[in-house]
Amino acid sequence: MSPILQGLITIALGVGGCVAYFYAANIVLDRVIFPPKGADPGRNINRANMVRPWLFLFPAIFALGLYLAYPVVGSFWRSLFNRDGGTFIGLGNYERLAMDASFRQAVFNNFLWVLVVPALATFLGLLAAQLTDRIKWGNIAKSLIFMPMAISFVGASLIWKFVYAVNPDIGMINAIRVAFHMQPLDPLQVPFWNNFFLMVILIWIQTGFAMVILSAALRGIPEETIEAAVLDGANPFQLFFKIKVPQIMPTIVVVWTTITILVLKVFDIVYATTGGNFGTQILPSYMMQYMFRDDGRATAVAFVIMIIVLPVMIWNIIQARRETR
């Protein structure tokens, strides 16, 4: 049996199961639990109507509990055991993380990524969205800027490894250094600054995403406000920063928080370029060090990442709802 046919059969069984569930649940609710008869049939009907929405919500709640809540609780419980899961050690894994200098370095680097990447990617995306809308070949420019989004993180990392190559015949940075009679160096081994060289890769990828979203937001600004500002004598900079940007601020915040969530989970770039060496360790790459040899510590790091990401996700959902309203 082909995989496509198996998928269609699975979908058909799922849909059929849901239909059968809803039909049977309504029959049991109306005829067995709260039948519309007896001394007070109106009361039974009202009770059935109060319970019925929860019957429709139950499959979604069950799926969320099975695939979301259960793994979270299970991961936290697993993080309370030692490396082989045989001995309960409480918060021992979290204590070891707090005392580990590599973990503290990873947390610091993660905060650097969170501060730099979303801000620069959103700013450059906004700048590209504004400038490309003012030139004749703007659609071609947008396509070129958006193109890195089609490249995987590993592929982009390999491309930029050539840019950062020590050999001046390959690496662009060292070619410029040699042209100015300077000695070649490996940018990915320069302490502290190598983190920013890695951030450039993600900024290069995410600028296109920010540009597309913000370009749509800029085009949605009412022309009346722009025309009124022009009549009042606003120059192009005032028009952009005082008229356009405030009106699309909710969209800017959503783009910023979306990129922030991605930054907190990114791992491919660091793993494919430096492997977390030379002071470039971040939380996901730190977690991968223990993934196959210390499940307790690895799940503890995963839970820490979830706690860091959760407030940003909640803020993103709130902002998205405000924008839709």
Side-chain angles (χ1 to χ4, degrees):
M1 186 180 296
S2 66
I4 297 177
L5 184 59
Q6 290 179 352
L8 292 175
I9 293 174
T10 302
I11 293 173
L13 290 175
V15 173
C18 289
V19 172
Y21 162 77
F22 291 131
Y23 180 75
N26 273 293
I27 291 178
V28 172
L29 183 67
D30 292 334
R31 298 184 182 181
V32 179
I33 302 177
F34 299 117
K37 58 184 179 180
D40 194 355
R43 184 180 181 184
N44 286 345
I45 292 174
N46 289 334
R47 287 180 174 178
N49 290 334
M50 292 175 62
V51 174
R52 186 171 285 107
W54 293 102
L55 291 177
F56 286 92
L57 287 173
F58 174 76
I61 295 174
F62 176 77
L64 286 174
L66 181 64
Y67 295 107
L68 184 62
Y70 173 72
V72 170
V73 175
S75 296
F76 177 71
W77 179 251
R78 179 64 186 86
S79 70
L80 304 179
F81 288 79
N82 66 343
R83 67 172 58 204
D84 59 3
T87 306
F88 181 82
I89 59 175
L91 299 177
N93 286 315
Y94 295 95
E95 293 175 359
R96 285 194 294 168
L97 289 178
M99 294 184 294
D100 188 354
S102 298
F103 175 77
R104 294 195 296 270
Q105 178 70 46
V107 172
F108 174 75
N109 289 341
N110 254 119
F111 278 112
L112 275 181
W113 280 70
V114 167
L115 289 174
V116 175
V117 175
L120 278 180
T122 305
F123 173 76
L124 293 176
L126 179 60
L127 191 63
Q130 174 65 15
L131 295 178
T132 52
D133 283 338
R134 298 171 64 90
I135 56 179
K136 293 181 179 180
W137 48 280
N139 290 332
I140 299 176
K142 286 182 180 179
S143 299
L144 294 175
I145 296 172
F146 186 77
M147 197 175 294
M149 282 289 296
I151 305 174
S152 68
F153 285 175
V154 174
S157 301
L158 294 177
I159 292 171
W160 280 87
K161 280 189 76 174
F162 286 112
V163 176
Y164 297 148
V166 179
N167 187 344
D169 294 329
I170 300 175
M172 184 178 67
I173 292 179
N174 282 303
I176 296 173
R177 289 179 60 87
V178 170
F180 285 94
H181 307 288
M182 301 171 66
Q183 290 296 323
L185 57 78
D186 189 349
L188 299 180
Q189 294 187 22
V190 180
F192 182 71
W193 298 106
N194 50 6
N195 289 286
F196 294 94
F197 288 117
L198 297 183
M199 294 176 200
V200 168
I201 303 174
L202 190 55
I203 294 170
W204 179 65
I205 296 173
Q206 290 301 307
T207 296
F209 162 76
M211 178 197 65
V212 170
I213 303 300
L214 296 175
S215 178
L218 287 172
R219 292 186 177 185
I221 296 175
E223 288 293 333
E224 293 81 4
T225 59
I226 299 175
E227 292 173 358
V230 172
L231 291 174
D232 288 338
N235 60 46
F237 288 98
Q238 292 173 331
L239 189 64
F240 179 69
F241 289 105
K242 294 187 178 181
I243 304 299
K244 292 184 176 181
V245 170
Q247 293 189 71
I248 64 169
M249 187 55 69
T251 306
I252 293 175
V253 173
V254 169
V255 170
W256 183 86
T257 52
T258 302
I259 298 176
T260 300
I261 294 171
L262 175 67
V263 167
L264 289 170
K265 299 185 295 181
V266 72
F267 140 81
D268 320 54
I269 293 174
V270 174
Y271 190 79
T273 51
T274 64
N277 298 311
F278 316 117
T280 60
Q281 191 82 275
I282 57 175
L283 288 175
S285 61
Y286 178 86
M287 179 183 68
M288 283 298 298
Q289 286 187 346
Y290 298 95
M291 182 67 72
F292 303 105
R293 57 190 179 94
D294 192 341
D295 288 346
R297 182 178 290 200
T299 50
V301 178
F303 200 76
V304 170
I305 295 173
M306 190 204 73
I307 292 174
I308 296 174
V309 172
L310 193 60
V312 183
M313 291 185 64
I314 294 173
W315 174 256
N316 196 16
I317 293 171
I318 293 173
Q319 291 298 320
R321 287 181 176 176
R322 287 179 181 175
E323 187 177 1
T324 55
R325 290 173 184 173

